[in-house]
Amino acid sequence: GDKCGREQRCYEFEKYVQVAEEMGAKRRNQTSNIYDTIVLTSDSRDMVESRLNYTSSHPNATHPDFPFRFLINENDTMQGHGSPQKYQSRADDIMASTLAAMKMQMLAETVVSNSCSNFHKVLAGFHVSGCGMAKEPYSESLQSNDNPQLRMRCFV
């Protein structure tokens, strides 16, 4: 999305999938919770559409046995950038999409964020402060991922 190249080095979708798989395995070992859903929010249409390769019901899926299902906002504006002057959608629609993304992330027990953007910092702060659904929320930054190859690098 809008942060790639400006605030952080972004991954291809497959690398984010690896993050999800490793985090799911880690959290299954730490809790008795079931990890079967990924809440996927992004301002990038390509990122959201890439999930279809991992969706068993999609006819062209390249990874139909992927163990997670995706929860997305089907009505997201996916503006693809953070410049209000360039928005193609109405400002109200973009604000609604942003708030819906935050609400969706607050449904999760575990949140993995890049912590490069202010939005992710606010999201993680709300989550670990108990503003979400989880009784014992867990948040982790990609900057401190257990796997050194998956650690996010911020530019700012």
Side-chain angles (χ1 to χ4, degrees):
D2 67 314
K3 309 302 182 194
C4 299
R6 286 190 322 160
E7 291 183 357
Q8 69 200 42
R9 175 186 57 108
C10 291
Y11 302 150
E12 295 296 321
F13 190 79
E14 290 73 21
K15 203 162 191 177
Y16 286 112
V17 165
Q18 184 180 351
V19 168
E21 290 173 328
E22 290 184 16
M23 182 58 68
K26 174 181 177 176
R27 297 297 292 148
R28 276 191 297 276
N29 290 332
Q30 294 174 341
T31 71
S32 60
N33 296 338
I34 297 170
Y35 288 86
D36 62 356
T37 304
I38 295 172
V39 177
L40 176 61
T41 60
S42 176
D43 65 359
S44 167
R45 185 169 307 282
D46 289 342
M47 189 64 66
V48 174
E49 289 178 357
S50 291
R51 83 189 187 289
L52 296 174
N53 288 326
Y54 294 84
T55 306
S56 62
S57 62
H58 192 270
N60 298 323
T62 55
H63 301 87
D65 296 328
F66 186 60
F68 300 98
R69 65 186 175 97
F70 291 98
L71 177 63
I72 66 162
N73 175 6
E74 295 282 352
N75 296 314
D76 198 311
T77 58
M78 294 180 226
Q79 72 275 7
H81 57 80
S83 300
Q85 309 89 316
K86 298 177 184 175
Y87 288 161
Q88 300 296 313
S89 301
R90 293 179 333 122
D92 288 348
D93 294 337
I94 293 167
M95 181 56 72
S97 287
T98 302
L99 293 173
M102 183 168 287
K103 174 64 176 166
M104 289 172 63
Q105 293 293 341
M106 293 298 108
L107 296 173
E109 184 272 340
T110 298
V111 169
V112 179
S113 63
N114 66 35
S115 298
C116 296
S117 73
N118 289 328
F119 180 78
H120 280 236
K121 291 173 185 173
V122 168
L123 174 74
F126 280 163
H127 187 257
V128 298
S129 297
C131 294
M133 296 278 297
K135 290 180 183 173
E136 295 181 29
Y138 180 82
S139 183
E140 191 170 296
S141 168
L142 282 174
Q143 294 169 318
S144 58
N145 192 285
D146 293 342
N147 182 340
Q149 294 180 330
L150 296 177
R151 290 186 188 141
M152 179 70 65
R153 291 189 188 143
C154 301
F155 296 145
V156 265

